[in-house]
Amino acid sequence: MTDLPPDRLRGDALLLVPDVTLTPDGPLERHAVLVRNGVFRDVGPVERVVRTDPSLTPVRLPGHVLMPGFVDAHHHLTQSFGGSLAFGEPSEIFRRVWVPLERALDEESAYVAAKLAALESLRGGFTTVAESGTRATVDVDVVAAAARDAGVRCVLGLVCNDAPDGTGQDKDPQTVLRAAEQHLARYGGDDLIRPALAVSVPEAATAHTLAATARLAAEAGMVVQIHVNEHLVAVERSLVRHGLRPLEHLHQVGALGPQLLAAHATLLTPAEVTLLADSGAAVSYNPVASAWKGNAVAPATTFAERGIRFGLGTDGTRGDGFRLADAAEFAQRLTYGLASGDSSCGAGWTWWERATAGGADAVGLGPRAGRITPGAAADFLLADIGGPEMQPSWDLPWELVRRGNRDQLTAVFVAGRLRLWRGWPPDWDGPALVRRAAELAPRVVRRAGVTRAHPTSVTARQRTATPHASPSPHTPPPAPAPASHHTSPDTTVPSLGGWR
């Protein structure tokens, strides 16, 4: 397919013939896919589908698999300027890094940050992202515009906090709920944006608002995204305040149900697993976030066994669907599989399904996304499987989980439209966006007053090399030298250490 021009992949109707089509029944050869007006109209044997519309010229895609786009079940689009500020940091960095960073965004920088994250997601094969609510003081429609302009499908959360959680003031509950109702009705005719509600953590909303947002979302067929049982300190705060763990508190106030999308859910008792199973709530399993900044790994293989709905989320760590699926399996193997001698650990198909169809179900899209099947949204990837990583092929789902790489992506489609061709958008200037983000990010971080617990890796290495030169615990260490690989002298970010 190296000589195929991207113009062959444009249009309201496409008849695509890849070597392999990854369907809900597994990988199938000699199958064709008919896309019309953003929807899969037919999927089946080549000879039959080609006869369906003789006016269309089949587009042959040798060496490629046509597969569902990844669904990111938990993202923070307006945190993209933070990037590596979270590396090596202890848990609950949202108080020291993310909230200050997002609140330093103005309308332009919020738009650029969100569009930058959306571009990275597309480059990693994500066709849908669940945005769990920005703390930026701009209209959330700025985030919607960024996602729409980038071309990614977005489940757009509106933060409905009305109680002080240490990162802001309390708000009038009625004002919060009126805004929630308006948000749920705002995007009815939008092809890419689906509204949702969000509460940062259970303690950030009153019992009344937790129950009311659950009811509003359930009535509208939408989801409420809440960070639940992620960090030990949050569990302990809930026990002190309510006498209940966070998930138990949600159950008590009437906020636990099929409308809930619980982010992380890493610290669960057996009783809480039963609560999830009985309630029909969904979970975003975020394995990379657990490795980078968490306290534990969610028991995802137990979720699968108990019939608990769950998808995979990045939590804004890195926008690479292949590496996320690999991390999902690997984290389960290290934390649960090795101890029990479970050599399969869910097998490749489990993680592939949760990264696509399972994720679509978890974020409230149901069967409308995440599947190569008639009637579903035409959100799909064309991946090159002709290279040494995938040949010879014996078990394609396992190979995609363990050996797949975003560099293999030739094309990304959302709603039947070509959004990415060989890593870059074909109809807008991706490199120009990246350059603008590099200009804006240092200014935003400077305004934010971010506090880190650890120095940069270079500074830490220097201190390790000269331990006797380390300052006493009561003396603020010297500020780490600013990174220079993406900044010019007039935009260099000053020290971000917690040493001020």
Side-chain angles (χ1 to χ4, degrees):
M1 205 171 99
T2 54
D3 297 328
L4 178 70
D7 287 347
R8 291 283 309 280
L9 298 173
R10 298 177 186 270
D12 292 334
L14 294 170
L15 180 54
L16 305 176
V17 185
D19 277 0
V20 182
T21 303
L22 194 55
T23 73
D25 295 324
L28 300 175
E29 298 181 0
R30 295 193 56 75
H31 269 56
V33 172
L34 175 61
V35 176
R36 189 182 298 279
N37 297 326
V39 175
F40 292 120
R41 297 300 180 189
D42 199 1
V43 180
V46 173
E47 294 78 7
R48 180 183 65 74
V49 176
V50 168
R51 289 197 302 270
T52 301
D53 193 336
S55 66
L56 291 176
T57 301
V59 179
R60 305 285 173 175
L61 308 169
H64 279 72
V65 58
L66 188 152
M67 58 193 187
F70 294 110
V71 175
D72 186 344
H74 185 60
H75 205 323
H76 295 272
L77 293 172
T78 55
Q79 292 180 359
S80 64
F81 286 178
S84 62
L85 294 180
F87 295 169
E89 290 292 291
S91 65
E92 281 216 322
I93 58 172
F94 75 94
R95 296 175 181 274
R96 296 177 290 103
V97 177
W98 299 130
V99 172
L101 178 69
E102 288 184 300
R103 287 186 176 156
L105 296 168
D106 58 19
E107 188 167 299
E108 182 193 8
S109 55
Y111 174 87
V112 172
K115 193 172 183 181
L116 181 72
L119 175 58
E120 182 189 358
S121 294
L122 287 168
R123 282 167 59 88
F126 290 103
T127 52
T128 296
V129 296
E131 159 57 39
S132 56
T134 182
R135 299 288 192 102
T137 57
V138 300
D139 188 331
V140 72
D141 196 52
V142 171
V143 180
R148 189 187 301 112
D149 293 348
V152 73
R153 194 177 301 279
C154 181
V155 177
L156 180 64
L158 174 74
V159 173
C160 298
N161 299 356
D162 69 339
D165 64 345
T167 63
Q169 302 298 316
D170 58 336
K171 297 180 180 179
D172 173 51
Q174 294 309 311
T175 301
V176 168
L177 294 177
R178 280 195 299 271
E181 291 184 87
Q182 293 168 0
H183 179 71
L184 290 176
R186 189 172 188 178
Y187 297 98
D190 200 300
D191 188 39
L192 294 182
I193 308 301
R194 183 175 177 82
L197 302 180
V199 174
S200 300
V201 289
E203 67 198 76
T206 60
H208 171 72
T209 295
L210 288 171
T213 52
R215 174 181 54 79
L216 289 172
E219 291 173 352
M222 311 299 183
V223 299
V224 182
Q225 305 178 55
I226 308 179
H227 296 76
V228 178
N229 291 48
E230 179 184 5
H231 298 301
L232 183 60
V233 64
V235 173
E236 292 175 343
R237 276 198 305 267
S238 183
L239 285 167
V240 170
R241 181 177 299 185
H242 304 295
L244 297 167
R245 296 162 65 87
L247 192 67
E248 294 172 332
H249 176 58
L250 291 177
H251 174 61
Q252 184 188 59
V253 302
L256 187 59
Q259 82 291 331
L260 176 66
L261 174 54
H264 301 287
T266 58
L267 299 165
L268 298 177
T269 65
E272 288 174 305
V273 173
T274 296
L275 280 178
L276 284 173
D278 291 347
S279 69
V283 174
S284 176
Y285 165 40
N286 310 323
V288 181
S290 288
W292 286 11
K293 54 190 177 181
N295 292 131
V297 174
T301 47
T302 298
F303 293 164
E305 176 63 25
R306 295 292 303 274
I308 296 170
R309 300 157 52 226
F310 74 94
L312 309 185
T314 65
D315 196 20
T317 51
R318 63 183 176 221
D320 189 326
F322 291 102
R323 292 186 73 183
L324 179 63
D326 182 35
E329 188 271 336
F330 195 48
Q332 291 299 297
R333 184 170 298 275
L334 289 180
T335 52
Y336 302 104
L338 294 181
S340 62
D342 180 4
S343 58
S344 176
C345 240
W349 188 257
T350 293
W351 309 111
W352 188 256
E353 193 276 337
R354 298 297 174 169
T356 54
D361 176 62
V363 304
L365 295 176
R368 294 185 293 274
R371 297 163 173 81
I372 309 298
T373 188
D379 300 348
F380 63 97
L381 314 175
L382 297 178
D384 187 344
I385 55 172
E389 296 83 3
M390 299 298 214
Q391 296 296 330
S393 177
W394 307 108
D395 188 337
L396 185 60
W398 256 130
E399 291 154 7
L400 290 169
V401 168
R402 286 270 179 91
R403 298 176 67 89
N405 191 301
R406 69 179 177 184
D407 290 346
Q408 295 169 241
L409 290 178
T410 298
V412 177
F413 289 78
V414 181
R417 179 176 164 186
L418 180 64
R419 309 289 181 168
L420 216 70
W421 175 257
R422 301 197 182 282
W424 292 100
D427 51 5
W428 57 275
D429 194 340
L433 173 75
V434 175
R435 290 192 297 271
R436 184 58 178 156
E439 293 170 356
L440 290 174
R443 305 174 199 172
V444 171
V445 173
R446 193 178 291 120
R447 287 197 303 267
V450 166
T451 302
R452 296 183 64 196
H454 292 290
T456 65
S457 56
V458 173
T459 301
R461 179 175 181 271
Q462 292 169 344
R463 291 178 187 170
T464 301
T466 56
H468 298 297
S470 299
S472 70
H474 304 292
T475 304
S484 59
H485 56 290
H486 284 307
T487 55
S488 60
D490 61 331
T491 59
T492 299
V493 181
S495 165
L496 301 172
W499 319 118
R500 40 181 130 209

